[in-house]
Amino acid sequence: MDNLSDTLKKLKITAADRTEGSLEGCLDCLLQALAQNNAETSEKIQGSGILQLFANLLTPQASCTAKVADIIAEVAKNEFMRIPCVDAGLISPLVQLLNSKDQEVLLQTGRALGNICYDSHSLQAQLISMGVIPTLVKLLGIHCHNAALTEMCLVAFGNLAELESSKEQFASTNIAEELVKLFKKQIEHDKREMIFEVLAPLAENDAIKLQLVEAGLVECLLEIVQQKVDSNKEDDVAELKTASDLMVLLLLGDESMQKLFEGGKGSVFQRVLSWIPSNNHQLQLAGALAIANFARNDGNCIHMVDNGIVEKLMDLLDRHVEDGNVTVQHAALSALRNLAIPVVNKAKMLSAGVTETVLKFLKSEMPPVQFKLLGTLRMLIDAQAEAAEQLGKNAKLVERLVEWCEAKDHAGVMGESNRLLSALIRHSKSKDVIKTIVQSGGIKHLVTMATSEHVIMQNEALVALALIAALELGPAEKDLASAQLVQILHRLLADERSAPEIKYNSMVLICALMGSGKASSCRSVSMWLSSDVKRMVIINDINK
């Protein structure tokens, strides 16, 4: 360490004099010392005040620039040295060096910036604001045959792409074209994995999704799937998963999805269809998720249902009823739910037996599966009176819904259960359905649903309760009273924050209660209805 102290003192003098020969020797000594004991040497460098001198040595013309950048990269491996590097003003001259034509300077500069800004979103954001992304993309294109420089660029992209502020800059470059071009050349798993790590965060941006599709990434991914599908090697299995996951991610963009769908005749869409009957769980999952993404457009949904996709998904679900793969169940149910949204598809899917297939998963204890199951049934019975009545009279289903209405740990499941319970009444308008729900203890949940923070759910509950009051109040009266329906209606009407439609539907429900002929209900309502509210009820009743 005495030699190091002497070197640091000498470096101060030679850095000031710019004596090239002596300077090179001092820098070599520092690099050797860092290789032997990085942390201790870095502390000495920090204490010597040398860092401040490095900023002046980082010039494109100097022969020692690459070594200075190398030293900075080495000391910045230590977390305690990163802020001192920033304070020494090293970031700006390093960024300027990214315009160098010297490949060694570029490599060491990239390492230095990467290490200084490692795990610091604020420093990475600073680099983005200084315009490093277009510069690095350009470097990747120019030096794509330099493996070390390529790797440096990929590591930088992987770090910067995690920041949302980077996406717009990336989208304005030809990053998609460069990455796909690079990807096609790679045969080693590790190198492709590096590119995947950049592609995944970039593909979260819709504009970049489309660019990647247009650059031919999908064809690369499909080729990987075909090559790896029958392999049991760990690397191949991992690459198959990464490729198929990325494929699904590209389909999340509306434009990229439609481009690949090609009216249902696209080769990519057809290949994805072939994944569903596969024996590979990862491909089954990716296939079902891809269909769910294609089904975000009504036209696509209608085309797919008319061409037999529902039967394929039902077959897939049947293969996973007993001790099945939960992720596949969830994905297939997601696809069926989306397909059931267009009105013209509902009757076709009901005729195909979708409800029977979906009901096989009622026993599932997995909230994600429960959530999609409920959503699928709710979509299917929308405006389908016969189906709603059939399901609403299914005591096992209704009992399960009532159970899930109390799933406070899973808000999504609880909300969907309430909505389906309400939908069964609203769409069936059946006394038998109401009786089944009363017998299963579901009335209190509909009353609670009327107090939801979501206006849609409040309205759905109020309409269902009004139908109960109009069609079959007798069996429900006791449960309505114990759930304090009257008091809740009073609060909804008195609350200035209640939406107009909530107040209107509350008054419709009151009308139904008052016109039910049940003396006790009429007395309960009349006790608190002011003359003004009564007048509003009458006016609304006349205007209906």
Side-chain angles (χ1 to χ4, degrees):
M1 281 297 140
D2 287 341
N3 288 339
L4 177 59
S5 298
D6 292 341
T7 298
L8 291 170
K9 288 176 184 175
K10 187 177 180 182
L11 185 57
K12 275 190 176 183
I13 297 168
T14 52
D17 295 344
R18 296 293 182 102
T19 311
E20 292 287 336
S22 301
L23 197 55
E24 293 270 359
C26 292
L27 295 174
D28 286 336
C29 287
L30 281 188
L31 285 169
Q32 288 174 13
L34 285 165
Q36 292 170 5
N37 191 327
N38 192 309
E40 191 174 343
T41 302
S42 295
E43 284 181 0
K44 289 273 189 181
I45 289 172
Q46 183 186 8
S48 70
I50 286 292
L51 283 178
Q52 284 73 16
L53 296 177
F54 283 168
N56 294 325
L57 298 177
L58 292 169
T59 58
Q61 299 81 14
S63 61
C64 63
T65 299
K67 287 182 181 178
V68 175
D70 190 3
I71 291 169
I72 296 169
E74 289 300 314
V75 299
K77 286 179 178 178
N78 303 286
E79 187 177 353
F80 68 87
M81 287 298 295
R82 290 170 192 157
I83 296 303
C85 285
V86 175
D87 292 341
L90 299 180
I91 287 184
S92 184
L94 284 169
V95 169
Q96 292 300 317
L97 285 176
L98 290 176
N99 295 304
S100 171
K101 291 181 172 55
D102 186 312
Q103 294 186 31
E104 183 62 21
V105 170
L106 288 171
L107 177 61
Q108 300 306 336
T109 298
R111 287 183 60 237
L113 284 170
N115 289 348
I116 291 171
C117 300
Y118 178 76
D119 207 25
S120 170
H121 285 173
S122 61
L123 290 177
Q124 289 166 3
Q126 184 180 333
L127 289 183
I128 293 168
S129 68
M130 294 173 78
V132 299
I133 288 175
T135 304
L136 288 171
V137 173
K138 187 178 177 183
L139 288 179
L140 181 65
I142 295 170
H143 302 291
C144 58
H145 299 295
N146 184 321
L149 264 180
T150 297
E151 186 171 326
M152 181 271 287
C153 287
L154 290 174
V155 170
F157 293 150
N159 290 327
L160 297 175
E162 296 292 340
L163 275 70
E164 195 56 41
S165 59
S166 72
K167 303 295 197 297
E168 192 175 333
Q169 274 200 33
F170 273 118
S172 67
T173 70
N174 64 335
I175 183 69
E177 184 183 336
E178 293 295 350
L179 287 175
V180 173
K181 194 190 304 179
L182 187 64
F183 191 86
K184 288 177 179 177
K185 296 177 185 175
Q186 301 303 325
I187 55 173
E188 295 177 36
H189 169 76
D190 291 345
K191 296 290 174 62
R192 290 209 290 217
E193 194 64 31
M194 282 190 73
I195 301 173
F196 273 136
E197 286 175 5
V198 178
L199 289 169
L202 285 179
E204 291 172 4
N205 177 272
D206 284 356
I208 300 175
K209 280 186 181 77
L210 184 60
Q211 291 171 10
L212 290 169
V213 168
E214 291 174 338
L217 178 61
V218 172
E219 288 72 20
C220 297
L221 299 177
L222 289 173
E223 189 177 337
I224 288 173
V225 169
Q226 188 173 350
Q227 291 171 354
K228 311 296 182 183
V229 65
D230 296 320
S231 174
N232 292 319
K233 292 181 182 176
E234 189 176 340
D235 283 352
D236 288 346
V237 172
E239 198 162 351
L240 172 70
K241 181 180 186 314
T242 305
S244 55
D245 284 348
L246 184 53
M247 178 79 191
V248 172
L249 184 57
L250 292 174
L251 292 172
L252 282 172
D254 289 338
E255 286 188 83
S256 54
M257 179 268 288
Q258 283 300 92
K259 188 173 181 66
L260 294 173
F261 189 67
E262 290 184 80
K265 296 180 173 60
S267 60
V268 173
F269 173 67
Q270 296 301 326
R271 289 279 289 278
V272 166
L273 280 184
S274 71
W275 294 354
I276 294 175
S278 162
N279 290 321
N280 184 298
H281 283 183
Q282 176 57 34
L283 280 194
Q284 291 172 0
L285 171 63
L289 287 173
I291 295 303
N293 286 336
F294 281 126
R296 297 198 322 276
N297 171 291
D298 280 5
N300 295 359
C301 288
I302 294 165
H303 176 89
M304 286 191 282
V305 169
D306 286 344
N307 285 273
I309 190 63
V310 169
E311 288 73 17
K312 286 183 172 65
L313 290 168
M314 288 167 61
D315 289 343
L316 177 59
L317 281 170
D318 280 337
R319 294 164 67 185
H320 288 274
V321 174
E322 300 296 333
D323 301 320
N325 185 297
V326 172
T327 55
V328 174
Q329 293 171 358
H330 177 263
L333 288 168
S334 296
L336 286 173
R337 179 200 176 280
N338 289 358
L339 289 167
I341 293 173
V343 176
V344 296
N345 281 357
K346 298 180 193 296
K348 295 173 185 175
M349 294 177 69
L350 289 166
S351 297
V354 172
T355 52
E356 290 81 356
T357 298
V358 170
L359 287 172
K360 293 175 184 177
F361 296 90
L362 263 185
K363 59 186 178 182
S364 174
E365 295 300 329
M366 304 304 295
V369 174
Q370 295 167 355
F371 181 72
K372 290 300 179 182
L373 176 156
L374 292 164
T376 304
L377 292 176
R378 187 166 63 81
M379 286 297 135
L380 282 170
I381 65 167
D382 186 17
Q384 306 296 309
E386 188 179 335
E389 182 168 14
Q390 187 179 351
L391 283 177
K393 292 190 293 187
N394 183 328
K396 285 186 178 178
L397 169 62
V398 174
E399 286 168 8
R400 194 70 160 135
L401 292 183
V402 171
E403 179 187 335
W404 287 339
C405 281
E406 297 174 358
K408 291 184 171 58
D409 291 339
H410 303 287
V413 173
M414 187 168 67
E416 277 291 348
S417 300
N418 278 290
R419 295 190 75 184
L420 181 53
L421 208 57
S422 163
L424 292 171
I425 296 170
R426 290 184 293 108
H427 297 304
S428 71
K429 298 179 179 62
S430 163
K431 292 183 178 183
D432 290 336
V433 170
I434 293 169
K435 287 176 184 175
T436 304
I437 291 173
V438 170
Q439 289 165 5
S440 300
I443 297 299
K444 64 181 180 181
H445 296 298
L446 290 173
V447 176
T448 301
M449 183 180 169
T451 65
S452 168
E453 60 184 12
H454 303 292
V455 173
I456 290 176
M457 289 181 66
Q458 282 185 291
N459 275 324
E460 289 174 353
L462 290 168
V463 172
L465 290 166
L467 285 167
I468 291 171
L471 297 172
E472 195 70 14
L473 181 59
E477 185 176 8
K478 185 177 178 182
D479 289 345
L480 291 171
S482 63
Q484 298 187 315
L485 173 62
V486 170
Q487 292 87 334
I488 286 171
L489 289 172
H490 191 183
R491 287 203 300 273
L492 289 175
L493 285 171
D495 191 344
E496 293 180 358
R497 294 169 298 177
S498 291
E501 57 268 37
I502 297 298
K503 292 192 175 184
Y504 176 80
N505 283 324
S506 296
M507 290 189 289
V508 170
L509 174 51
I510 291 165
C511 289
L513 289 169
M514 293 180 71
S516 66
K518 295 290 178 181
S520 59
S521 292
C522 289
R523 281 197 300 271
S524 298
V525 174
S526 297
M527 281 177 63
W528 59 267
L529 272 177
S530 69
S531 58
D532 287 341
V533 174
K534 282 184 181 177
R535 196 177 304 115
M536 289 172 67
V537 170
I538 292 167
I539 291 169
N540 278 283
D541 198 34
I542 291 169
N543 290 334
K544 277 197 302 180

